[in-house]
Amino acid sequence: MSEPFEPKIVAFVCTYCTYAGADLAGTSRLKYPPNVRIVRLPCTGRISPMFILKAFQKGADGVLVSGCHPGDCHFDHGNYHARRRWTAFNALLQFTGVPEERVKFSWISAAEGIKFAELIDSITEEIRTAGPFEQYHKLIAETGSAASV
Amino acid sequence: MAKIGVFVCHCGENIAAKVDCTKLVAAMEGHPGVAIAHEYKYFCSEPGQESIKKAVAEYGLTGVIVAACSPRMHEATFRTACAEAGLNPYLCEIANIREQCSWVHNDGEQATRKAIEITRSLVEKVKRNNELQPIEVPVTRRALVIGGGIAGIQAALDIANAGGEVVLVEREASLGGHMAQLSETFPTLDCSQCIMTPRMVEAARHPKIRLLTYSEIEKVEGFIGNFNVTVRQKARFVDMNLCTGCGECMQKCPAKKISGEFDCGLANRTAIYTPFAQAVPNKPVIDSEHCIFFKNGKCKACQRVCPTDAINFEMEDELVELEIGAIVVATGFQVQNTALYGEYGYGRYPDVLTGLQFERLASASGPTGGKITRPSDGKEPETIVFIQCAGSRDPSKGIAYCSKICCMYTAKHAMLYRHKNHDGNSRIFYMDIRAAGKGYDEFTRRAIEEDGAGYVRGRVSKLWQENGKLMVRGADTLLGRPVEVAADMVVLATAMVPQPDSKELGKTLGIGYDEYGFFNEAHLKLRPVETATAGIFLAGACQSPKDIPDSVAQASACASKVLALFSRDKLEREPVIAQNNEATCSGCWGCVLACPYNAIEKKDLTDRSGNLIRRVASVNAGLCQGCGTCVTFCRSNSIDLAGFTEKQIFAEVMGL
Ligand SMILES: Cc1cc2nc3c(=O)[nH]c(=O)nc-3n(C[C@H](O)[C@H](O)[C@H](O)COP(=O)(O)OP(=O)(O)OC[C@H]3O[C@@H](n4cnc5c(N)ncnc54)[C@H](O)[C@@H]3O)c2cc1C
Ligand code: SF4
Ligand code: SF4
C-alpha cells in the first residue's frame, strides 16, 4: 500500500503581518497540518512570480502568498503592488501551465493567528483534493529548460 | 568554501518534545557546506551564546544558523553574539522551528521532517548571505509638530521644555483647535478656554518654539532624523511684525456677513478677522475669498484705519524650508457633516444643532454669551432632545466605530443646560452609555441623578416641525413602545471623523491611514504613538476619536519618543535596502514607479568630459525602507534587495 498523498505547500509571506500571524498561531499553540513551508520576506511586494515557479519546480503542489491587509501594510503600498501584479501574474501562470487553484492569495495580519491556522487547514485540504501537481513536475522533467526560469 | 555552523536549540521541552533534535543535527551534519551542527538545551542563555561564539572562532565559521524560536524573538540576540565573535551579524539567520513547527504540530515525525527542511533551506540561504554594515545617519534635533490643537500644543511644549527645538505648524489663523471652541469640559466641568488659553500663550512665547500659523505642509522628503519639510505660509495680508492686534480694522471692515467658522455658523465675522477674541497670535488675517477689495478692487477700509500700516494687499504665500529630525502629527478631527441624516433635519431646521454648535451656545465667549437660546427666535428652549450616536456605530452609513466622546459630552450638555435653565427638560436618545474613564461613570450618573437628564434607550426614526416645535419620534426599546417628544431644540451628537484631507496628508508624510482616514499607529497596543514610518509620531484625535485626557497623554508620549531620538548623535538602520547594478540598469524606471517611498532617483552617468552616457536608477539609502517592491519590477534584474537577494531566496526555496 502506498502512503497517502501529503501535499507540499510553499508559503511566501511578509514579515510584519503574516509571519507574525503565524508566530501568534504558534504562541497560542493552535494546531494545523505540517504541509506548509514558510519563506519569510520583508514585504509581499518582494514576491516575484519567479519565486512561485521556483517552488513548483522544487516539487510544491501548491503555493500560498500572504501579506498584510490592504491599508495596513508596513510598507505603504507594497501589498497593493503585490495584488496588482498578481492579476497580471495569474495569466502568466496559466500560460505556463499552473492552474489558478494551485496558488492562493490571502491577507493575514499579525493579530490573526486563528485565521492563519484555519487558512493552512483549508489550503492543505484543497491542495490535497487537487492531488499531486504531476503535470507540472512532468513538464519540467521533459523540457528541462523550464527548470532554469 | 562555506563553513556553516548549525545550532539546534531544545528550548527546554518546547522544541525537543516534538522535534527530534538529534536527528535534525544528524541531517545537518551531512549537508554540503555545514561544518558543524550542535544541539543544546537553551542557546539563548549565557553559556549557549558563549558556545556559539566559541564555535565561530574555533571552526572559522562563515555563517550561522540557529534553529530555535522565531527570529522575531531572538534574531537580535544571536546576531549580536555572532558580531561579538567577529562574524558579520548579517551572516546569521534563524530557522523558526518552535512557533512555526514544534508548537503547531502533533505528530513528532512530521514535525522533525519539517524542521529539517526549514533548517536546510536557511542553510542554503545563509551560504549566499553577504556581509552588511548598518547604515548610520545623523539626527537633526528639531521637531515639527503639525496641528496646534491641545495635542499638538502639549507635544510642542514637552519637547521644547526639555530643550528641543520645535516648529509648530497650524493651518488656521490661531492655535487652539477644537478645545478652544468648547464651553466646559467633562468630567470636571472646568472652563475650556481658561485651561487652554494659557497653554496657547505659553507655546507662542516659548523661545524654543517657532510658531507658523495659517500654514500648511507642502512637501516632506527625507527620513528619520533627516526630514526636509516645506511649509506653505499662506498670505495673511497683515504684516505680523507691524500689527499690534488693536482690532481697528475688524471694526471698520464692511464685509460683515460671513458665516463664522469658529462659532460653527452661529455668528458672523468680518473679512479681516481673528477666529476668536483670545486667538494666539492675536493678529488678524484677511480672508481673500470674502474681502470686498479682492472681489471688486475697491474698499481698503482696513488699510486706512490701521495705525501701523500693517495691511499689505500685495502679500503672497511664502514657502519655508525646514530641516527636521522628527515629526509629530496632531491634526485632530472634524465633526461629521450631518447631511447624511435627513431624518434628523440638520440644515433644514435652524434649531437642530450639532454638539459643537451647542458648545458655542453654552460658552461664555460664544455668540450668546453663554445663554442657551434657539438660533431661530432667540427664545430659551424648554425641552431639548439630544440624539447620541448620530452617525457613529452605523455601518450602513459608513461609520462602524464608536466616537467615544459623545456619551460624555451629551451628559455634559444636559448638565450645562440644567445649570443654566433650572426648569429645562432634557431627553437623551441613546444606544448605550459608554462612560469608561476616570470619573466618567460618576459624571453621567450625576447628570441623571442631580441634573435630571432623561435617558431614553432607542433610536430616533423621524423628526419634523409642527406648531413651532420640533417633533421627535423614536422608540423606547426598554419599555418596548414608541415615544414622541415635542422639543424646542435638538442636538445631534455627530460622529468624530478624520480631517477631510487626512489621506492627502498621510500620502505627503508617507504614513498609513485606516479606511476612514484616521492615521495608523505602528502597533495598536505596543507602539500606539509611532507610525510605521520611522521618525513620525501620532498624537490626539487624528489617530482615533479621543477626549482631552487621552490626547494629552498621547502627546506627552510622542514627546518622550522624540526626545529619546534627539538624545542620540547618530542612528543605526538595518542595511536591508535595495542596491542597483548600474552596469546592467536599462533605465526603464519600473522601479521608480514601484517604490512606495520615492527612494529611487534618476542618476546621470557621464564620461570624463561630462557628456551624458546614460541615465540609471540610483537608490537613496536614506529613503529606502527595504520593501523590495522595486526588485520584482526590474526587467533587467539590476536592482536587488540586500539581505533578501534573488539568489538567497531562490536558494532558500530550493533547499525546502
Ligand atoms: C462637541 C464636543 C464636545 C467635547 N467635549 C469634550 C469635553 O468636555 N472633554 C474632553 O475631554 N473632550 C471633549 N471633546 C473632545 C476634544 O475636543 C478633543 O479630544 C480634542 O480637541 C482633541 O485634540 P486634538 O489636538 O487632537 O485635535 P483638534 O482639537 O481637532 O486640533 C487639531 C488642530 O490641527 C489643525 N490642523 C488640522 N489639519 C492640519 C494640517 N493639515 N496642517 C496644519 N494644521 C492642521 C487644526 O486646525 C486644529 O487646530 C469634545 C469634542 C466635541 C466635538
Ligand atoms: S479691504 Fe477687505 S478686509 Fe479690508 S476692510 Fe475691506 S473688505 Fe474688510
Ligand atoms: S526596496 Fe522598497 S523602498 Fe527600497 S527602493 Fe526598492 S521599492 Fe523603494
Side-chain angles (χ1 to χ4, degrees):
Chain A
M1 207 184 84
S2 68
E3 265 188 47
F5 166 59
E6 280 301 334
K8 180 165 184 166
I9 299 161
V10 175
F12 295 97
V13 309
C14 75
T15 186
Y16 288 95
C17 292
T18 306
Y19 194 86
D23 273 358
L24 180 61
T27 37
S28 323
R29 311 295 203 278
L30 303 173
K31 299 290 180 247
Y32 55 81
N35 302 60
V36 173
R37 304 287 176 270
I38 286 182
V39 177
R40 182 171 70 110
L41 298 166
C43 172
T44 40
R46 177 68 187 92
I47 298 168
S48 137
M50 292 311 162
F51 297 169
I52 300 178
L53 292 182
K54 204 72 171 178
F56 285 124
Q57 184 190 332
K58 174 65 192 172
D61 303 295
V63 164
L64 166 66
V65 172
S66 181
C68 323
H69 290 255
D72 280 356
C73 182
H74 176 84
F75 290 104
D76 221 19
H77 297 111
N79 60 352
Y80 282 108
H81 281 302
R83 192 163 43 152
R84 214 187 313 147
R85 203 171 42 246
W86 170 244
T87 324
F89 180 48
N90 230 347
L92 174 75
L93 278 180
Q94 283 183 35
F95 179 74
T96 50
V98 179
E100 223 171 308
E101 66 194 23
R102 297 278 171 186
V103 188
K104 312 280 176 192
F105 205 66
S106 91
W107 291 312
I108 293 197
S109 76
E112 294 175 323
I114 298 176
K115 191 173 161 200
F116 180 81
E118 287 172 355
L119 177 77
I120 302 305
D121 271 337
S122 67
I123 281 197
T124 309
E125 267 336 289
E126 282 168 37
I127 303 292
R128 198 192 301 281
T129 315
F133 195 12
E134 267 156 8
Q135 310 113 276
Y136 194 79
H137 302 153
K138 221 187 286 161
L139 185 84
I140 286 170
E142 278 164 16
T143 57
S145 64
S148 57
V149 277
Chain B
M1 239 279 287
K3 280 195 230 155
I4 309 296
V6 179
F7 301 89
V8 178
C9 182
H10 293 187
C11 192
E13 286 283 280
N14 281 305
I15 292 170
K18 273 277 139 53
V19 172
D20 183 338
C21 293
T22 311
K23 202 164 162 188
L24 174 53
V25 166
M28 288 309 119
E29 272 171 342
H31 192 81
V34 173
I36 52 135
H38 290 165
E39 58 185 306
Y40 186 66
K41 212 166 173 71
Y42 291 106
F43 270 116
C44 60
S45 68
E46 189 66 39
Q49 292 188 46
E50 282 309 317
S51 76
I52 296 178
K53 289 195 221 168
K54 229 176 97 203
V56 169
E58 202 173 314
Y59 297 91
L61 299 181
T62 59
V64 163
I65 295 291
V66 186
C69 52
S70 170
R72 296 168 67 249
M73 282 291 297
H74 277 312
E75 184 178 77
T77 315
F78 293 121
R79 285 191 166 172
T80 309
C82 287
E84 283 165 7
L87 184 70
N88 184 284
Y90 297 94
L91 300 178
C92 167
E93 296 273 356
I94 310 297
N96 182 346
I97 59 167
R98 189 180 77 174
E99 280 84 346
Q100 300 186 4
C101 191
S102 70
W103 275 352
V104 288
H105 303 316
N106 284 323
D107 185 289
E109 204 171 307
Q110 285 182 325
T112 304
R113 201 178 318 146
K114 178 171 168 180
I116 292 174
E117 284 185 32
I118 293 174
T119 313
R120 189 173 66 205
S121 84
L122 282 156
V123 168
E124 285 306 310
K125 181 185 184 197
V126 86
K127 282 195 219 165
R128 288 149 184 93
N129 277 20
N130 298 312
E131 291 194 358
L132 301 175
Q133 301 307 330
I135 300 168
E136 277 204 339
V137 288
V139 182
T140 306
R141 293 200 178 90
R142 185 181 300 113
L144 168 70
V145 177
I146 311 173
I150 185 60
I153 291 176
Q154 180 73 32
L157 284 175
D158 282 358
I159 297 168
N161 285 337
E165 268 185 60
V166 178
V167 182
L168 176 55
V169 173
E170 163 59 53
R171 76 162 151 214
E172 301 299 330
S174 169
L175 290 177
H178 284 95
M179 192 172 158
Q181 287 174 285
L182 305 182
S183 51
E184 291 163 28
T185 50
F186 66 73
T188 42
L189 291 190
D190 29 13
C191 144
S192 194
Q193 290 261 342
C194 312
I195 55 178
M196 184 64 171
T197 324
R199 287 289 171 98
M200 291 157 52
V201 173
E202 195 188 339
R205 288 221 183 112
H206 203 294
K208 290 274 183 187
I209 299 179
R210 175 171 177 198
L211 179 59
L212 298 175
T213 51
Y214 217 46
S215 299
E216 282 181 65
I217 306 302
E218 182 91 358
K219 199 162 84 186
V220 176
E221 288 178 332
F223 49 91
I224 182 168
N226 301 273
F227 294 104
N228 293 309
V229 179
T230 311
V231 174
R232 177 177 292 274
Q233 249 191 320
K234 293 175 277 185
R236 297 177 86 101
F237 305 106
V238 173
D239 187 322
M240 293 278 274
N241 295 325
L242 296 176
C243 175
T244 59
C246 70
E248 289 283 331
C249 51
M250 294 191 267
Q251 303 287 327
K252 291 284 156 22
C253 175
K256 290 191 193 305
K257 293 244 167 100
I258 305 159
S259 175
E261 297 83 359
F262 187 78
D263 284 320
C264 307
L266 294 173
N268 290 335
R269 62 164 172 85
T270 43
I272 186 164
Y273 74 110
T274 54
F276 52 106
Q278 302 77 5
V280 173
N282 202 352
K283 299 182 180 177
V285 297
I286 295 180
D287 157 13
S288 58
E289 195 189 320
H290 294 100
C291 164
I292 296 169
F293 172 75
F294 279 106
K295 277 207 286 207
N296 54 29
K298 283 208 195 81
C299 179
K300 296 199 174 179
C302 50
Q303 197 172 49
R304 279 197 302 277
V305 296
C306 178
T308 62
D309 238 349
I311 312 275
N312 172 4
F313 290 98
E314 255 82 73
M315 204 178 261
E316 284 180 4
D317 288 6
E318 265 178 53
L319 296 181
V320 184
E321 307 274 340
L322 302 167
E323 285 181 8
I324 296 291
I327 301 177
V328 176
V329 186
T331 50
F333 67 102
Q334 283 298 326
V335 290
Q336 190 191 17
N337 178 342
T338 332
L340 276 173
Y341 288 83
E343 64 265 41
Y344 298 151
Y346 184 78
R348 246 181 312 144
Y349 308 128
D351 299 327
V352 176
L353 306 175
T354 65
L356 200 54
Q357 286 178 311
F358 190 85
E359 293 284 341
R360 294 312 300 146
L361 282 185
S363 167
S365 66
T368 56
K371 252 184 112 166
I372 296 170
T373 54
R374 311 212 304 176
S376 63
D377 55 11
K379 284 196 189 137
E380 280 191 41
E382 285 164 21
T383 302
I384 303 186
V385 163
F386 294 91
I387 304 178
Q388 288 195 182
C389 296
S392 308
R393 304 172 66 197
D394 187 353
S396 70
K397 296 272 169 69
I399 295 188
Y401 60 83
C402 164
S403 288
K404 202 172 170 186
I405 54 163
C406 328
C407 287
M408 290 302 297
Y409 76 60
T410 301
K412 172 181 79 174
H413 290 171
M415 284 167 117
L416 294 178
Y417 174 43
R418 181 55 76 84
H419 295 173
K420 289 170 191 267
N421 179 343
H422 300 305
D423 307 316
N425 251 320
S426 64
R427 301 295 289 279
I428 303 173
F429 284 87
Y430 74 106
M431 298 219 285
D432 303 284
I433 303 178
R434 296 183 164 172
K438 188 166 179 174
Y440 283 17
D441 207 52
E442 298 89 318
F443 184 82
T444 51
R445 269 194 187 283
R446 224 167 83 211
I448 299 169
E449 288 162 10
E450 290 171 26
D451 293 313
Y455 279 88
V456 182
R457 185 165 200 213
R459 304 274 298 179
V460 168
S461 54
K462 203 169 166 211
L463 194 153
W464 71 99
Q465 222 168 9
E466 200 175 291
N467 304 327
K469 292 274 185 187
L470 289 163
M471 303 302 295
V472 183
R473 181 183 293 157
D476 185 329
T477 53
L478 291 182
L479 297 177
R481 62 175 189 216
V483 273
E484 219 169 88
V485 186
D488 304 295
M489 183 185 276
V490 172
V491 180
L492 307 175
T494 50
M496 232 172 163
V497 295
Q499 296 282 1
D501 59 344
S502 70
K503 293 185 182 176
E504 295 309 308
L505 183 64
K507 282 180 197 147
T508 306
L509 291 164
I511 61 174
Y513 39 82
D514 65 14
E515 58 194 296
Y516 307 105
F518 288 114
F519 297 124
N520 281 345
E521 58 297 312
H523 189 284
L524 194 50
K525 279 162 290 186
L526 300 180
R527 294 169 68 199
V529 307
E530 290 155 85
T531 64
T533 303
I536 305 189
F537 306 94
L538 303 175
C542 62
Q543 182 227 3
S544 70
K546 267 191 201 81
D547 55 22
I548 298 164
D550 282 1
S551 301
V552 170
Q554 204 189 6
S556 291
C558 274
S560 86
K561 291 280 174 196
V562 170
L563 292 166
L565 181 65
F566 287 1
S567 70
R568 306 175 51 182
D569 288 329
K570 290 225 184 300
L571 296 175
E572 267 193 8
R573 276 196 37 203
E574 280 268 295
V576 175
I577 55 165
Q579 290 166 336
N580 191 25
N581 180 350
E582 288 173 2
T584 56
C585 174
S586 64
C588 71
W589 314 134
C591 55
V592 176
L593 213 71
C595 178
Y597 296 94
N598 297 326
I600 303 180
E601 290 151 11
K602 297 178 184 175
K603 175 175 154 190
D604 291 342
L605 293 184
T606 50
D607 62 17
R608 275 208 203 120
S609 39
N611 301 316
L612 182 68
I613 308 171
R614 255 174 344 117
R615 296 187 81 193
V616 295
S618 157
V619 178
N620 179 323
L623 288 177
C624 173
Q625 303 286 316
C627 67
T629 308
C630 53
V631 183
T632 43
F633 273 71
C634 178
R635 293 176 213 168
S636 59
N637 280 331
S638 303
I639 211 160
D640 212 341
L641 187 68
F644 294 90
T645 60
E646 296 277 293
K647 259 196 190 154
Q648 286 173 294
I649 296 164
F650 281 146
E652 188 176 343
V653 173
M654 292 316 274
L656 280 173

